[in-house]
Every structure is written in C-alpha cells, then in structure tokens.
Amino acid sequence: MTCESLPATWQCSDSELFIRFSDVFVPRREEQISAMCDLLNDLAAPRILDLCSGHGQLSEAYLRRKPDAHVTLLDRSPEMLASADQRLKAFRGRYELMLASIEERAWRKRSSYDAVMTSLAVHHLDAEGKRALYRDIREMLTPGGVFAMTDLVEAAGPGTRQLAADHWAEAVRRASLEQFGSDEAEKIFEQTEWNYYRLPHPDPVDKPSSIAEQLDWLREAGFANADVVWMYAGHAIFTATREAIE
Ligand SMILES: C[S@@+](CC[C@H](N)C(=O)[O-])C[C@H]1O[C@@H](n2cnc3c(N)ncnc32)[C@H](O)[C@@H]1O
C-alpha cells in the first residue's frame, strides 16, 4: 500500500494498521459484527449501504448471512475499497463500491436503501455533522428501513472514561494473545495511541459524542425506536427505524 497523508483525518497508515489488526484493535469484534447483522436480519432482499465500509468485514458477514442482500460499500480510502473488493470476490454481482467522503452530500441524494449500517466511523464527524447525517440517512431509507451503527461514544464522566480505557486495553491484550500468540498487536495498539480514552487532550480525528446526545439526535431526525443494544469498552451499537407508515 502506498500511503499519501491528509492532515487531521483518518490516514492511509491507519488503514494499513486497521486491515492488519482490526480483529484485535476492535473490542469483541466478532460479537459486534454479529449484533450488527442481527439488527438487519429480518429484511427481505435488502439493499444495504455500508457507510465507511473499510476493508469490508461487516459487508462480508452480512452478505454471507443473507444470500438475497445487495450491499453498496462507501469509503473515502481507495486502499480500503481495493481490499474490500479482494475480500468480497466470492460475492461478485451482489455488491458495489463507492469512493466518497462521509461529509459529502452528493451520495446522500443518489439512492434509497432498506438499511444503512456503519461501523467505527461516524465519530469522525463533529456534533453538527452527525445530526445532519442522521437526518439524511432517515430520508434515504425506505419506509420500515433500519439504521444500525456501532461506534465509539464519549464517556459521561472521568470514571466511565477510565473504565472504557481499561476494558479496551484488556480486550486488546487478550485478543493479541489469542490471535497472534504474543503481545505483538497489543504493543502496536499502545505505541500508536489507538486507545482514544487514554488520550490526555481532545483529538482532531476522533470526535465521539455521548449515547444520550446521539439518541436525542436520532429522534430529532424523525427516527422511531432509537435504542442502544450493546456496549463494551466505550463502543456502543445503536439502532433506529424509519416508520413503515408515516
Ligand atoms: C476504523 S475504520 C472502520 C472500517 C469498517 N467500517 C470496519 O468496521 O471494519 C474507519 C473507516 O472509515 C473510513 N473513513 C474515515 N474518514 C472518512 C471520511 N471522511 N469519509 C469516508 N470514509 C472515511 C476509513 O477509510 C476507514 O475505512
């Protein structure tokens, strides 16, 4: 992978690390992916948008689970999309790739979907960016459509921030041993200061919002049934639906 650098954003070098270590760096990764797929399990022949899809792990799990699904993978990183294309070879014809930024408005008007899923990316937007995104996603969903999001969330205070940091570090320690047989991945997690909750200062790249704020913004956007179904180590899974009859 040849990396070009953009300041104060997700970097190509982050993609390289994430492709190699996502199953260690993301706490309880398998459980998260499975819970995300559960949220979209009841949709019939769904057209899905995987927003900031990365190298396609979530899309792969969903395409495997739902043989009648079609997924559009959107990401700003050509390297991530190339890696997703490689991973999804067995599903040709059931997915497409879209090179775009989450901040752009053009892709939001282009299509409608039965569900929008997104994993570990919306925290790159600030509060206003998230609010606008939730409004636009609701508009993009067909009636009865589902939004599912797993993401970092801001802690409500120093106590829960400390707990999130410690739980995340412990999850990475275990996963590094299980998957690499050593602390190799754990050391890289620490060296690269991947644990957001240990950072002493605000971060220009990661801007998580609290669970309470996000549930409010989802309701404000017109979603029904906004809820959190899972949380661990500062990572929470949200869902909300567009009412079938309005
Ligand atoms: C932590 S990775 C998560 C990837 C994937 N969703 C997953 O869970 O495996 C964050 C992803 O967001 C993408 N990303 C970061 N900033 C973005 C932006 N402004 N617009 C679109 N994609 C972005 C990165 O390229 C990367 O693929």
Side-chain angles (χ1 to χ4, degrees):
M1 196 182 280
T2 315
C3 280
E4 72 170 79
S5 273
L6 296 167
T9 59
W10 175 271
Q11 307 275 321
C12 178
S13 53
D14 295 322
S15 293
E16 281 185 313
L17 276 176
F18 193 79
I19 288 171
R20 178 138 187 251
F21 295 118
S22 58
D23 288 338
V24 174
F25 284 14
V26 182
R28 300 189 181 165
R29 173 71 155 169
E30 220 179 286
E31 207 175 295
Q32 287 196 38
I33 288 179
S34 177
M36 287 285 286
C37 292
D38 289 347
L39 290 168
L40 311 187
N41 202 44
D42 294 339
L43 300 169
R47 295 186 64 249
I48 307 285
L49 175 65
D50 183 354
L51 189 56
C52 301
S53 61
H55 59 313
Q57 273 183 290
L58 177 59
S59 287
E60 181 188 14
Y62 192 69
L63 286 165
R64 205 176 285 291
R65 189 191 282 213
K66 296 284 284 186
D68 57 356
H70 182 279
V71 178
T72 300
L73 292 90
L74 180 154
D75 203 283
R76 194 189 54 193
S77 158
E79 296 82 15
M80 282 301 213
L81 288 180
S83 178
D85 202 23
Q86 189 64 20
R87 169 186 291 275
L88 298 177
K89 266 197 282 205
F91 303 99
R92 284 260 140 88
R94 295 183 52 213
Y95 72 93
E96 64 186 342
L97 306 174
M98 195 191 292
L99 184 65
S101 270
I102 192 172
E103 294 87 352
E104 289 165 22
R105 307 306 291 272
W107 61 264
R108 304 185 189 190
K109 309 255 180 272
R110 219 173 279 163
S111 297
S112 65
Y113 296 94
D114 301 304
V116 174
M117 59 186 186
T118 181
S119 165
L120 307 171
V122 169
H123 66 273
H124 295 309
L125 298 175
D126 63 14
E128 275 319 305
K130 291 184 191 95
R131 288 173 90 167
L133 179 72
Y134 299 156
R135 285 195 294 268
D136 290 342
I137 286 177
R138 185 185 169 279
E139 287 303 305
M140 293 175 78
L141 286 171
T142 51
V146 181
F147 176 49
M149 169 172 78
T150 180
D151 208 2
L152 290 185
V153 290
E154 192 52 272
T160 49
R161 186 181 176 89
Q162 180 67 45
L163 210 54
D166 293 348
H167 284 169
W168 197 354
E170 175 59 14
V172 168
R173 190 189 67 75
R174 280 170 197 253
S176 180
L177 267 181
E178 277 163 21
Q179 291 171 42
F180 287 82
S182 74
D183 62 1
E184 176 191 347
E186 181 192 6
K187 277 191 174 146
I188 294 170
F189 178 79
E190 282 165 9
Q191 281 159 13
T192 54
E193 300 185 319
W194 203 277
N195 194 337
Y196 166 81
Y197 303 101
R198 292 245 194 272
L199 297 177
H201 307 295
D203 184 62
V205 182
D206 295 328
K207 294 164 257 188
S209 302
S210 72
I211 287 185
E213 285 171 315
Q214 304 210 66
L215 289 174
D216 281 349
W217 298 336
L218 288 166
R219 288 185 206 109
E220 171 195 283
F223 277 107
N225 309 314
D227 214 343
V228 168
V229 297
W230 183 98
M231 183 175 181
Y232 177 66
H235 293 62
I237 300 185
F238 295 80
T239 188
T241 50
R242 177 169 180 159
E243 300 271 34
I245 303 163
E246 290 164 354

